[in-house]
Amino acid sequence: MNLNTIVEVKRPGSIEEVEWRDGHAWLGGGTWLFSEPQVATDTLVDLESFGWPALTATPRGLEIAATCKIAELHAFKGPPAWRAIPLIRDCIDAFLMSFKIWNAATVGGNICMSLPAGAMVSLTSALEGVCTLWPRMGGPREIPVADFVTGNHMNVLQKGELLRSIHLPASALSRRYAMRQASLTHLGRSAALIVGTAGDNGEDFLLTVSAATPRPVQLRFKKIPAATELRQAIDERLPAESWFEDVHGSAPYKRHITRYYAEQIRAELA
Ligand SMILES: Cc1cc2nc3c(=O)[nH]c(=O)nc-3n(C[C@H](O)[C@H](O)[C@H](O)COP(=O)(O)OP(=O)(O)OC[C@H]3O[C@@H](n4cnc5c(N)ncnc54)[C@H](O)[C@@H]3O)c2cc1C
């Protein structure tokens, strides 16, 4: 779509060159920005011009630049010790995408959209990702992805604040995992995307519920719980009004499928 309110596209070399004002919008891949009218926006600030390296793997973990394309992340192959790397591809494959979105959309753009079916939100929260944010004033701040998203299309970003990168710790990348995803239609938007991770001996079991809820919800157990304990924890943490109801699934359906898949994940990791 042509955005007929845009009068300028800025391509700064560094953040210091950006003088933010109302009407500015950060431009990631533009797949959402260009998909509907942006009447309040007159200037796009293209993040690609910062030239950040897409992916940086170190012994500490994986640094994903906000500008990393979904296709670049899909192609990433980490060291064998990072056993959760295939989860990257599992989550990306769960993301309903055209060829254009696949090659243009950025990881940061997907997280900043903060949609319940944001596959990069599911992935990075399940792998205990931490966002680095660049506020307009003051130094960088860090926040776990699971706390970054606060609701359907809502997050903690302040006006003009930038998501710079997401760090996935090596400790999370090295864990065992199991994942389940459901859509009402073949290749449809996720109604539920559930991930469980655990240590080798079943210690520190982390269940991340996404798509079925407006924002990711995490349940942590010292060791893999019994089926009844897990079911009870889900019901306590997610009462009837907590489920995200939309055309991609009713709230009771999403609750049902979450309980069903959570049990499969628990059994698989046990
Ligand atoms: C047909 C279609 C289907 C879609 N299906 C899905 C889906 O199933 N799930 C889903 O999650 N999304 C979906 N989307 C929405 C969108 O395409 C994706 O979320 C995509 O990943 C957004 O990434 P982008 O880089 O293109 O973001 P952009 O369009 O560039 O930006 C999206 C928003 O985030 C802001 N932004 C981007 N990067 C940053 C940053 N680093 N810091 C701060 N703000 C930033 C932008 O200003 C804008 O408000 C769909 C879109 C279309 C058109």
Side-chain angles (χ1 to χ4, degrees):
M1 161 181 289
N2 286 334
L3 297 179
N4 58 14
T5 53
I6 304 300
V7 293
E8 190 179 1
V9 179
K10 294 189 177 199
R11 295 198 168 81
S14 72
I15 190 73
E16 289 74 28
E17 291 173 34
V18 181
E19 282 178 31
W20 190 269
R21 61 162 173 76
D22 286 349
H24 278 45
W26 299 114
L27 173 63
T31 61
W32 176 77
L33 275 171
F34 285 92
S35 74
E36 52 184 77
Q38 306 292 341
V39 288
T41 304
D42 58 37
T43 303
L44 298 176
V45 185
D46 191 350
L47 297 171
E48 205 165 359
S49 61
F50 288 138
W52 298 327
L55 294 162
T56 311
T58 69
R60 286 185 54 243
L62 180 63
E63 199 75 21
I64 308 171
T67 45
C68 173
K69 301 272 193 277
I70 305 265
E72 288 176 302
L73 184 60
H74 194 271
F76 177 73
K77 292 181 179 55
W82 291 0
R83 290 176 295 178
I85 287 294
L87 180 62
I88 294 179
R89 287 184 281 282
D90 293 345
C91 286
I92 293 177
D93 292 342
F95 183 15
L96 166 68
M97 274 186 291
S98 67
F99 172 82
K100 235 187 221 174
I101 295 186
W102 176 269
N103 286 289
T106 62
V107 175
N110 188 258
I111 294 174
C112 292
M113 281 300 292
S114 304
L115 298 176
M120 296 302 93
V121 174
S122 307
L123 170 71
T124 55
S125 55
L127 292 180
E128 302 172 62
V130 176
C131 299
T132 295
L133 309 182
W134 282 0
R136 293 303 307 143
M137 311 288 274
R141 62 182 182 126
E142 292 190 342
I143 182 161
V145 179
D147 297 329
F148 174 87
V149 179
T150 53
N152 175 23
H153 203 28
M154 290 191 290
N155 58 48
V156 301
L157 283 177
Q158 304 289 314
K159 214 177 252 187
E161 192 168 27
L162 181 62
L163 169 60
R164 166 62 184 87
S165 59
I166 306 97
H167 176 76
L168 303 182
S171 54
L173 285 162
S174 307
R175 286 153 67 82
R176 295 185 298 133
Y177 82 91
M179 178 260 203
R180 297 288 187 281
Q181 181 260 358
S183 302
L184 278 184
T185 53
H186 181 55
L187 296 179
R189 196 172 274 203
S190 295
L193 199 163
I194 321 290
V195 179
T197 61
D200 275 338
N201 301 315
E203 75 279 5
D204 193 21
F205 175 72
L206 178 67
L207 187 81
T208 304
V209 177
S210 62
T213 47
R215 54 174 293 198
V217 172
Q218 295 190 300
L219 291 98
R220 193 155 219 150
F221 301 81
K222 284 202 174 98
K223 60 181 179 50
I224 295 178
T228 45
E229 190 188 348
L230 179 61
R231 165 71 79 99
Q232 200 180 348
I234 292 172
D235 289 349
E236 276 171 14
R237 183 73 186 277
L238 290 163
E241 65 278 10
S242 318
W243 302 91
F244 181 63
E245 170 134 353
D246 68 351
V247 292
H248 304 289
S250 68
Y253 169 72
K254 291 183 178 182
R255 182 179 60 183
H256 166 74
I257 206 78
T258 299
R259 286 167 163 177
Y260 179 71
Y261 280 158
E263 170 50 21
Q264 285 191 1
I265 288 169
R266 186 202 68 81
E268 185 178 323
L269 289 175

